[in-house]
Amino acid sequence: DAGVIQSPRHEVTEMGQEVTLRCKPISGHDYLFWYRQTMMRGLELLIYFNNNVPIDDSGMPEDRFSAKMPNASFSTLKIQPSEPRDSAVYFCASSPRTARNEKLFFGSGTQLSVL
Amino acid sequence: AQSVTQPDIHITVSEGASLELRCNYSYGATPYLFWYVQSPGQGLQLLLKYFSGDTLVQGIKGFEAEFKRSQSSFNLRKPSVHWSDAAEYFCAVGGSWGKLQFGAGTQVVVTP
């Protein structure tokens, strides 16, 4: 299996622009997570899905952030409009189940820079 | 509320020397505990996990960790460090379902 695939690897955009980050989880995994990593706040869980349904979005910072999972093999995290403070590495992770939180498989992340 | 504290932000160790990374947690029930490693430019990779049973758990890459309930700790150890162990290490705590809480991470530098 190719693992969790994220695109793009790097994104540089200007303040006010819309940004869309993409994730393809490992086939057969029921859960998908979006994390954000910054120096100041470390790793933060933004939202997670179970069987394509959002379960907990309490970590989404504000209404500018939205996430969707239209099918089991694809998810997006959108920021509109983007701001410089959104600059971070965004990770997607998937898990076969979190009934026991047994193991998260992380993608390589998207490095987002908002100028 | 659950929380994880990694007291050491940065550790420098000589190649071949032993390594211990500290992790303290706060959790209202029996925790599920994890150690993840992040190499530069990469996502996190699971090193080991503890759910129950033997409090000394073995992981990949020669790492082990010991769960001490009385001290609310889950320290990570390796007897002899290799240059390839230079990375950032994250401790995480959670329940049987739901979200994990990650620590701030410990950056490990390995010197020749």
Side-chain angles (χ1 to χ4, degrees):
Chain A
D1 199 311
V4 176
I5 300 173
Q6 291 186 246
S7 63
R9 284 300 306 271
H10 302 274
E11 176 78 40
V12 180
T13 190
E14 293 187 346
M15 183 174 62
Q17 296 299 305
E18 177 180 296
V19 175
T20 300
L21 311 181
R22 297 173 177 81
C23 175
K24 176 179 169 56
I26 294 173
S27 177
H29 282 192
D30 299 331
Y31 289 81
L32 183 139
F33 304 79
W34 282 101
Y35 282 87
R36 179 172 68 175
Q37 185 179 38
T38 62
M39 290 291 292
M40 291 297 295
R41 301 174 69 90
L43 267 167
E44 304 173 275
L45 178 65
L46 301 177
I47 184 171
Y48 78 93
F49 296 82
N50 177 21
N51 292 325
N52 313 337
V53 176
I55 302 300
D56 184 348
D57 65 354
S58 59
M60 296 286 262
E62 49 197 274
D63 292 344
R64 297 185 297 106
F65 286 70
S66 63
K68 294 182 180 179
M69 192 165 185
N71 57 63
S73 59
F74 184 66
S75 177
T76 60
L77 178 68
K78 186 176 293 186
I79 308 172
Q80 166 62 19
S82 58
E83 296 182 4
R85 61 193 168 121
D86 301 330
S87 298
V89 181
Y90 291 82
F91 288 103
C92 176
S94 68
S95 174
R97 61 182 185 270
T98 56
R100 298 189 65 187
N101 256 330
E102 289 195 358
K103 184 173 182 178
L104 298 180
F105 294 78
F106 282 81
S108 297
T110 295
Q111 175 77 58
L112 174 63
S113 298
V114 183
L115 307 177
Chain B
Q2 60 194 53
S3 67
V4 181
T5 302
Q6 293 182 246
D8 305 305
I9 297 173
H10 186 274
I11 284 181
T12 299
V13 59
S14 300
E15 191 168 13
S18 64
L19 174 68
E20 182 167 14
L21 304 182
R22 296 182 290 165
C23 173
N24 293 98
Y25 68 89
S26 173
Y27 195 74
T30 301
Y32 289 69
L33 294 159
F34 306 81
W35 276 99
Y36 281 83
V37 61
Q38 184 180 27
S39 298
Q42 299 298 315
L44 280 70
Q45 179 186 20
L46 181 68
L47 281 176
L48 48 79
K49 59 191 177 186
Y50 172 79
F51 293 156
S52 65
D54 191 345
T55 56
L56 184 64
V57 293
Q58 302 297 320
I60 62 171
K61 305 185 180 187
F63 284 91
E64 66 178 25
E66 186 171 13
F67 171 60
K68 293 186 177 181
R69 185 186 301 274
S70 61
Q71 299 179 17
S72 297
S73 69
F74 188 57
N75 294 348
L76 182 71
R77 298 192 293 257
K78 185 168 184 178
S80 178
V81 168
H82 186 262
W83 65 266
S84 60
D85 294 323
E88 189 156 21
Y89 292 79
F90 293 89
C91 182
V93 64
S96 59
W97 60 275
K99 50 190 175 184
L100 296 181
Q101 179 74 44
F102 283 87
T106 297
Q107 184 71 48
V108 173
V109 173
V110 180
T111 60

